[in-house]
Amino acid sequence: MNRLEKPMEMTEQYNKEKDFLVCINLEGSIFNTLEIQWKECLIPTLIKCFELQPIAKYVREEAEKMSLYSKNRGLNRFMLLYLIFEALEKRPELNRYYFNLPDTRHLKAWIMAENFPTLKSLEEAFDKTSDTVIERALLWSHEADRSIQELIYGMMPFPHVSKSLRKIKTFADIVVVSSNALYDLKSEWKKSGLDEEVYFFFAQNDDDKTRYIKQLKKLGYDEDNMLLIGDTLGDAKVASTSNIIFYPIIPGKESKSWKLLTDKCLDGFVNKTYITTHEQKYIQKLKKVLN
């Protein structure tokens, strides 16, 4: 059984089969989609929609650093949009071009008022303010989504992912979570040969991983038997907040991370030694890379 479901439908259609559960974040952990989304889709459309061509070099630098190589990796795209503009304001090079950045006051107010900014709430903010920056943010998001649908296909998993999933499947239910269901998730998994390894696909559209873990707990999994695999500090925080175990996929060292998981850490997860001897050490490695 491998399905793609919406968050609120999960507990109604998901059945616990094993005592252990492994949840895996899709973007950036299994496929290199996060990097492609930003470098090939989100950043180019950001430059286009906000007419940032004169400072495109600096936009790319700050956007890549903020979205992929900092503690903000994996953050909601609209939060990242504001943080990118905030970082650009600190670049002295912009003064040489006499370039004025967009006025992001209304965008900031909306971000601060939202726990999990969504496209729908951004549309509501535009209806209230008619703000040009918010209007362009909406255009950017729609244009980027179309670009993602066109450009992200035929993805292959990082080395050692398939072997790791086969090992996990022998003792645990596997849930794969995607915060971006814009491309055909099930089709991509089938092309990669991984579709039979995963018990449940979970289309997480509201960016609240804590919510789906809370739902899964209600099905009878012990916290010590639940593992979250992810590539961001946000994932580590979700695991800590949910009181479950975390294993990081280190950006730039994804293949090595999966091999280590397969050869060593999965056994430690099952026999309860990983959390006491390795978890915090690996989390510190993730922090070092993203800070």
Side-chain angles (χ1 to χ4, degrees), residues 50-268:
F50 284 89
E51 299 180 356
L52 302 174
Q53 288 84 353
I55 59 166
K57 175 180 184 292
Y58 308 112
V59 175
R60 292 190 186 95
E61 288 177 358
E62 294 298 339
E64 288 184 14
K65 180 172 67 176
M66 193 66 64
S67 62
L68 299 173
Y69 311 120
S70 78
K71 63 182 180 180
N72 298 303
R73 178 184 171 94
L75 199 64
N76 174 280
R77 68 168 62 171
F78 297 116
M79 291 182 177
L80 283 167
L81 175 65
Y82 174 72
L83 291 175
I84 291 166
F85 280 124
E86 190 176 56
L88 285 170
E89 289 176 357
K90 300 175 183 178
R91 295 289 297 244
E93 297 91 341
L94 269 61
N95 294 329
R96 303 171 193 166
Y97 291 87
Y98 302 100
F99 190 89
N100 293 319
L101 289 167
D103 183 349
T104 57
R105 285 177 296 173
H106 289 292
L107 180 66
K108 180 180 180 180
W110 171 70
I111 289 289
M112 296 302 170
E114 297 289 325
N115 289 327
F116 295 98
T118 64
L119 187 64
K120 182 179 179 181
S121 67
L122 186 61
E123 290 171 345
E124 292 171 352
F126 176 67
D127 289 340
K128 293 177 182 178
T129 64
S130 299
D131 180 63
T132 302
V133 170
I134 290 181
E135 182 180 27
R136 292 193 178 197
L138 286 168
L139 176 62
W140 167 65
S141 187
H142 288 303
E143 289 286 334
D145 286 347
R146 280 193 285 270
S147 181
I148 289 169
Q149 287 178 312
E150 292 175 0
L151 296 179
I152 299 184
Y153 60 89
M155 300 297 296
M156 295 301 294
F158 292 113
H160 306 292
V161 167
S162 182
K163 182 179 179 181
S164 188
L165 290 179
R166 288 196 298 270
K167 184 171 183 176
I168 295 170
K169 189 179 179 181
T170 63
F171 67 87
D173 295 329
I174 303 175
V175 172
V176 169
V177 181
S178 172
S179 61
N180 190 343
L182 295 169
Y183 55 92
D184 190 342
L185 178 61
K186 292 169 75 173
S187 175
E188 291 301 312
W189 273 79
K190 188 172 183 178
K191 291 176 184 177
S192 68
L194 299 177
D195 58 315
E196 295 302 322
E197 309 300 340
V198 176
Y199 179 64
F200 203 88
F201 293 107
F202 181 21
Q204 176 218 344
N205 295 317
D206 61 359
D207 288 343
D208 189 0
K209 293 185 178 73
T210 306
R211 180 185 301 181
Y212 78 77
I213 290 176
K214 184 178 181 180
Q215 291 181 13
L216 287 164
K217 283 185 179 180
K218 293 178 180 178
L219 300 176
Y221 296 105
D222 291 336
E223 291 177 344
D224 288 346
N225 288 353
M226 298 177 70
L227 175 69
L228 174 61
I229 299 173
D231 62 301
T232 74
L233 294 179
D235 292 330
K237 183 178 179 180
V238 167
S240 177
T241 301
S242 303
N243 202 31
I244 67 172
I245 301 169
F246 180 68
Y247 179 81
I249 303 299
I250 307 297
K253 298 181 180 179
E254 293 88 355
S255 177
K256 184 177 180 180
S257 298
W258 280 104
K259 188 176 189 306
L260 181 63
L261 177 67
T262 309
D263 295 344
K264 180 179 181 180
C265 294
L266 286 177
D267 293 335

